[in-house]
Amino acid sequence: MKKTAFLLFFCFAVFLHAEILKDDTFRTQLNNWNIPSYWNGKISREKQEKQGFLRLESTEKNGRTFARALSFSRQIDFYPEYRIRITVRVEGSGTFLAGLLFYDRASGSPTYMPGEKLQLTDELRQYETSFVLTKIPRMILPYLEIDGKGTARIESFRMETVPENNASIVSKTPFQVVKSPGELSPVTFQTSMPDREFRLYQKNHNLLTERKTKSDASGKVVFEPEKKGEGNVFLTATAGGAAATAHADVMPPAEYSAADALAKKIRLGKKIHVLVIGDSLSDFYRGRNYVDMLNFWLNKYNPGKFTFRNAGAGGDFLTRVEARLNGMTNGKKAYRQEMYDRLFEENYDLVFIFLGQNDTYVTRSKNFDNPRVGPAEQEAVLRRVLDFIGKKSKAEIVLISPSPSHEKLFLDRLASLKEGTDMGMFGAAKHVDAFDAVNRKVCGERKLDYIDILHPMRQSPDLKALYVEDGVHLSNEGARLVSREVLRWFASRKW
């Protein structure tokens, strides 16, 4: 198996403040693990009492016997010295390993990065392997493998980043929006690493510059940007397996002027505090997502008047939101309960609820029907969530429609899979439309405002451009569209 010059892997001591990229148990589903048609193996989900397992079994084809399953993980901005740790609870027979597919920025084909090997036994054990990046990838995907004949029963999978010695870096410069070819402002970072060499990266589309600097005695790092193209500009300082990025959106003049015209219409006499409840579309890409764009535009002509609490949690759906609002699930703290810590100790003027992608999740094994949260359950839970928020806050509640996904991408992926291999799909059109219909019904009955992003996204001349490569999460262009539609709602109101 080919090793790469771009990644080195080894085991290392535990580091703190891990950022979770993927955290799977298999109690109810396979979490989008699948076997592409060009790999060997069989995959299924087993259930034993209250525990679920991913079962991976090797097969023989063209003289080779092995099994290999692939999945997706959260795609953050990876940089050199980033440490990635994979931990798996596994039992079975044969030789097991977990690895990464490293997609180089300049190449379409991935390089395999196999982790340490483990000889499986009937005893459930913890497998751990780690990797250190020496180059910036375009994408990283995890895989599970049985080398030779064998069967693995996997109870859990976890993938995370782990900086050394509790290292921390924080950007002190707010998100910038600039009309092309405007000049970017200097960026300041505060770090826990004084007198340390740092790498500074400026990335814009396929343009990447790198330089080095040193933090001062207080741990401060100052980054003087260069002028670079259009779109989202990443200004990153990294050292010790930790990194922070300040973002700038360099917009085409016409698009900037249109957003600026909307922002000029909004004039506040008082401060407005906004709560955002959502899924990964609100949670991912913090510092540059649609919430950050809104924050910039709303405060441009009303400086300091708009503030946000972004309580979006990746993977969320309505029933999970309800569980976290209540604080418990089956006697235990709800998933990522910390995202709602002291939530209603703050006084909000507006609450936005933006959900739907995970609610409409379906699988091939169920004929892409029976979404995770069906229309009847959606309506009942939505009413309870609205009642709960209404009792806790006097804020006006506004719903944002679900976004579509780039459905063709999922259909193309389906065509490459073996017959019988399961696959998940987010945002299928018929389920999104059903979710949208329930939202509209409840908003109509309760006289709540409803912001439609579903149809503006579908009417986009380049739907694919609104998403990152997974066809679900918003690209910079997608975030602009969502922020523009919400900004349009603000501009239509008298404040």
Side-chain angles (χ1 to χ4, degrees):
M1 189 170 289
K2 182 181 176 184
K3 293 187 179 181
T4 176
F6 305 150
L7 289 170
L8 301 172
F9 74 88
F10 55 86
C11 290
F12 53 89
V14 174
F15 298 92
L16 301 179
H17 292 306
E19 184 168 11
I20 298 171
L21 304 176
K22 189 170 180 63
D23 192 9
D24 293 341
T25 62
F26 304 99
R27 294 184 180 91
T28 60
Q29 58 180 307
L30 289 177
N31 299 293
N32 217 31
W33 287 94
N34 64 84
I35 300 177
S37 59
Y38 45 83
W39 285 351
N40 287 16
K42 295 180 181 179
I43 191 171
S44 59
R45 189 179 69 85
E46 291 185 3
K47 190 171 183 180
Q48 182 178 329
E49 296 180 352
K50 294 183 179 180
Q51 182 60 54
F53 292 85
L54 182 155
R55 179 184 174 90
L56 183 63
E57 183 178 357
S58 58
T59 59
E60 189 275 334
K61 182 172 67 174
N62 298 328
R64 292 193 61 198
T65 301
F66 71 98
R68 191 181 296 134
L70 175 72
S71 191
F72 289 87
S73 64
R74 181 180 175 193
Q75 295 298 308
I76 63 171
D77 302 317
F78 296 101
Y79 290 95
E81 295 187 47
Y82 259 42
R83 291 153 167 81
I84 299 174
R85 180 173 63 209
I86 290 177
T87 307
V88 183
R89 293 273 293 169
V90 59
E91 64 185 16
S93 62
T95 303
F96 172 83
L97 63 90
L100 298 175
L101 293 183
F102 182 95
Y103 289 79
D104 186 75
R105 283 168 50 81
S107 173
S109 300
T111 301
Y112 288 84
M113 282 304 306
E116 303 289 344
K117 292 184 177 181
L118 174 69
Q119 190 64 40
L120 297 178
T121 69
D122 291 338
E123 178 187 359
L124 191 61
R125 290 185 289 169
Q126 181 161 300
Y127 166 92
E128 185 175 304
T129 192
S130 302
F131 309 81
V132 176
L133 276 64
T134 60
K135 198 171 182 180
I136 299 175
R138 173 169 56 89
M139 179 171 62
I140 291 175
L141 301 180
Y143 69 88
L144 303 170
E145 181 173 324
I146 300 171
D147 186 8
K149 187 176 181 179
T151 300
R153 295 175 74 247
I154 298 160
E155 182 186 70
S156 63
F157 175 94
R158 186 181 180 95
M159 177 177 169
E160 57 196 333
T161 65
V162 278
E164 68 178 46
N165 301 324
N166 203 16
S168 66
I169 309 173
V170 178
S171 169
K172 293 295 186 179
T173 304
F175 177 71
Q176 303 178 50
V177 179
V178 179
K179 179 168 62 174
S180 178
E183 190 168 340
L184 301 176
S185 300
V187 171
T188 300
F189 298 93
Q190 187 62 49
T191 84
S192 63
M193 295 170 276
D195 301 313
R196 171 81 178 253
E197 184 176 79
F198 278 75
R199 299 187 192 193
L200 303 178
Y201 293 93
Q202 181 164 338
K203 180 164 69 81
N204 172 246
H205 297 301
N206 291 321
L207 300 173
L208 178 69
T209 61
E210 177 184 353
R211 65 188 107 150
K212 294 181 180 179
T213 191
K214 196 172 183 181
S215 58
D216 67 15
S218 70
K220 186 171 76 172
V221 176
V222 177
F223 192 157
E224 295 279 352
E226 302 173 8
K227 291 182 179 179
K228 287 287 180 182
E230 292 183 344
N232 187 27
V233 180
F234 298 69
L235 304 166
T236 301
T238 179
T245 301
H247 297 275
D249 189 17
V250 183
M251 298 179 68
E255 195 171 350
Y256 181 96
S257 297
D260 190 65
L262 290 173
K264 277 181 180 177
K265 294 180 180 179
I266 305 164
R267 298 293 181 176
L268 286 187
K270 64 173 184 176
K271 291 185 177 181
I272 299 289
H273 190 37
V274 183
L275 170 64
V276 176
I277 291 176
D279 53 26
S280 55
L281 274 64
S282 303
D283 186 19
F284 286 9
Y285 313 125
R286 286 176 184 259
R288 61 183 174 99
N289 66 20
Y290 80 92
V291 179
D292 302 292
M293 294 178 179
L294 271 175
N295 189 42
F296 172 85
W297 287 113
L298 291 172
N299 281 293
K300 182 174 183 184
Y301 296 105
N302 300 275
K305 294 287 181 66
F306 281 97
T307 54
F308 286 83
R309 173 161 177 181
N310 184 351
D316 259 10
F317 40 90
L318 263 170
T319 52
R320 184 178 277 174
V321 167
E322 182 184 31
R324 196 180 305 112
L325 287 172
N326 290 317
M328 302 291 285
T329 303
N330 297 325
K332 298 179 180 179
K333 278 190 176 181
Y335 173 76
R336 293 187 72 185
Q337 184 61 49
E338 71 279 1
M339 296 302 295
Y340 287 7
D341 281 353
R342 300 183 175 181
L343 189 66
F344 291 104
E345 290 183 16
E346 301 176 40
N347 294 319
Y348 305 106
D349 300 283
L350 288 169
V351 176
F352 288 115
I353 301 176
F354 180 22
L355 295 164
Q357 281 290 321
N358 298 301
D359 303 77
T360 58
Y361 178 80
V362 289
T363 61
R364 182 185 191 182
S365 62
K366 295 183 179 179
N367 298 315
F368 298 113
D369 212 343
N370 299 314
R372 177 183 277 135
V373 181
E377 184 178 22
Q378 175 196 350
E379 182 172 345
V381 177
L382 178 57
R383 292 181 187 280
R384 293 199 298 266
V385 166
L386 295 174
D387 289 341
F388 184 99
I389 295 172
K391 290 176 182 177
K392 294 287 186 177
S393 174
K394 295 180 180 179
E396 178 183 356
I397 302 173
V398 179
L399 267 63
I400 301 174
S401 78
S403 63
S405 68
H406 185 219
E407 194 168 346
K408 183 178 183 300
L409 181 145
F410 288 95
L411 296 176
D412 290 346
R413 188 182 303 155
L414 176 65
S416 72
L417 296 180
K418 295 178 181 178
E419 186 67 31
T421 301
D422 204 5
M423 187 194 87
M425 180 184 291
F426 296 88
K430 69 176 183 177
H431 300 304
V432 166
D433 287 340
F435 193 90
D436 180 59
V438 171
N439 274 359
R440 290 178 182 274
K441 174 185 176 183
V442 174
C443 284
E445 290 177 3
R446 298 198 175 206
K447 295 182 171 50
L448 304 179
D449 276 10
Y450 192 56
I451 300 175
D452 180 15
I453 64 164
L454 176 60
H455 294 92
M457 290 184 75
R458 284 178 172 166
Q459 292 162 8
S460 171
D462 187 0
L463 181 65
K464 183 179 179 180
L466 302 181
Y467 306 96
V468 298
E469 290 186 349
D470 63 15
V472 175
H473 296 102
L474 300 173
S475 66
N476 194 58
E477 290 78 6
R480 281 182 189 165
L481 188 152
V482 172
S483 68
R484 183 191 69 215
E485 296 306 315
V486 180
L487 188 64
R488 193 187 309 281
W489 176 83
F490 275 99
S492 70
R493 303 265 305 227
K494 291 184 179 180
W495 297 94

